[in-house]
Amino acid sequence: MRDPLPVPARAVRTGTSVERSRFIATLEPVRDVDGVDAVLARVRKEFPDARHHCTASVLGGDGTQQRSNDDGEPAGTAGAPMLAALNGAGVTGVIAVVTRYFGGVLLGTGGLARAYGSAVSGALAEAGVLRRRWVDLVEVRASLADGGRLEADLRHGFDVEDVVWSGEGWSATLALAPDGTGALAAHLAAGGFATELGAPRRAVRTAGNAT
């Protein structure tokens, strides 16, 4: 199974100037189309006097939900190179808005494409990316009497995400490698622990620090 695509580590805003035109790149992680639209609306409100607010976005675990818009620039000179920059970085869950203030010098189609693409590439380099991985979330349940000893054992070799003590007993949620429930069950049996395992739930988690 392929790892899910990385996502931007943080929201950033960067700026460049080309032939007196200012290009302000706003790049942010988003979850869905509503997030994309909200970022664009906010940027338009921040820079109401700018001539262009060009956009590119990539959504979905596999990055197949893609949109771009030239916002009045010649067709293919803004949104497409911005989207190409996002795809070149292999990221998803992202919206890029490049706001342009015209400086009086025509850049030509090639110059515009380079300026918009470079603005997004620069913002991506500033933001960094978070690599991600698939995990199976599995709940382990045991008695209150066994909970402390079991938790100490599991924390030595497993990724324990959450622990709950209640009147009904002890439970912990573990993040396992995909299809790792069998190995967990074998470990618990070898340790002589009396436990119940919940059904695994596939989820996404970050893998390490931003790069």
Side-chain angles (χ1 to χ4, degrees):
M1 176 185 297
R2 285 179 48 191
D3 287 336
L5 293 176
V7 296
R10 62 191 181 98
V12 298
R13 174 167 288 159
T14 59
T16 57
S17 295
V18 180
E19 298 291 346
R20 299 205 301 257
S21 282
R22 287 180 58 210
F23 293 86
I24 303 168
T26 302
L27 186 139
E28 298 191 17
V30 290
R31 292 175 178 261
D32 50 31
V33 173
D34 288 343
V36 167
D37 294 341
V39 172
L40 176 57
R42 192 182 73 242
V43 171
R44 287 187 180 278
K45 188 174 181 179
E46 286 184 76
F47 305 103
D49 56 338
R51 180 172 292 190
H52 306 284
H53 300 284
C54 304
T55 59
S57 63
V58 181
L59 297 173
D62 54 2
T64 56
Q65 301 174 43
Q66 303 188 358
R67 296 194 308 183
S68 65
N69 190 289
D70 295 312
D71 193 35
E73 294 283 27
T77 63
M82 290 170 61
L83 188 58
L86 296 179
N87 286 331
V91 293
T92 190
V94 59
I95 168 68
V97 183
V98 176
T99 300
R100 182 190 180 196
Y101 283 92
F102 182 56
V105 178
L106 297 176
L107 302 182
T109 57
L112 284 172
R114 287 189 295 272
Y116 279 103
S118 295
V120 174
S121 295
L124 280 166
E126 182 74 18
V129 298
L130 288 173
R131 305 291 169 185
R132 303 190 298 167
R133 61 190 175 95
W134 291 108
V135 299
D136 281 349
L137 298 180
V138 177
E139 185 181 37
V140 182
R141 296 181 289 271
S143 68
L144 290 174
D146 290 338
R149 184 170 65 95
L150 179 54
E151 181 178 344
D153 176 85
L154 291 173
R155 288 192 182 278
H156 281 293
F158 295 89
D159 185 0
V160 180
E161 291 203 343
D162 186 43
V163 173
V164 176
W165 296 81
S166 71
E168 298 179 355
W170 175 94
S171 67
T173 300
L174 276 58
L176 307 176
D179 303 317
T181 306
L184 172 62
H187 173 85
L188 294 171
F193 293 108
T195 61
E196 294 181 0
L197 298 183
R201 296 175 286 116
R202 190 61 48 91
V204 175
R205 293 292 184 269
T206 56
N209 297 322
T211 59

